């Protein structure tokens, strides 16, 4: 059996690839963009320290956390 046949055989039986770090990074970038938009819509700037956190920013942060949790699933999901 020659090398080309072996490579074809191994490719055929290989497990599907996962999205991995690139898919995870793309997902996180989308989540952060949405969080910045949420802060902007509420009239605030993301990353600026405030003495008290308004409820609308708490909801933005909860949304960001939910989105980031979904990114963990993207990192482990198969890409066929």
């Amino acid at each position: 059996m020659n090398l080309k046949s072996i490579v074809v055989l191994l490719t055929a039986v290989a497990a599907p690839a996962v999205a991995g770090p690139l898919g995870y990074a793309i997902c996180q970038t989308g989540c952060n963009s949405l969080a910045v938009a949420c802060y902007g819509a509420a009239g605030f700037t993301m990353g600026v320290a405030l003495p008290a956190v308004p409820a609308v920013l708490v909801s933005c942060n909860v949304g960001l956390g939910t989105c980031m949790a979904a990114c963990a699933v993207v990192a482990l999901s198969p890409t066929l």
Side-chain angles (χ1 to χ4, degrees), residues 1 7 13-14 24 27 31 37 43 45-48 56 59-61 63 65 69 71-72 74-76:
M1 191 181 274
V7 170
V13 297
Y24 185 64
C27 185
C31 291
T45 302
M46 182 95 170
V48 174
V56 67
S59 65
C60 290
N61 289 337
C71 287
V74 169
L76 300 174

Side-chain angles (χ1 to χ4, degrees), residues 3 6 9 17-18 21 23-24 27-28 30-31 35 38-39 41 45 51 53 55 58 67 70 80:
L3 181 59
I6 293 171
L9 179 64
V18 293
Y24 185 64
C27 185
Q28 282 191 328
C31 291
C38 183
Y39 269 65
T45 302
V53 180
V58 171
C67 188
L80 301 174

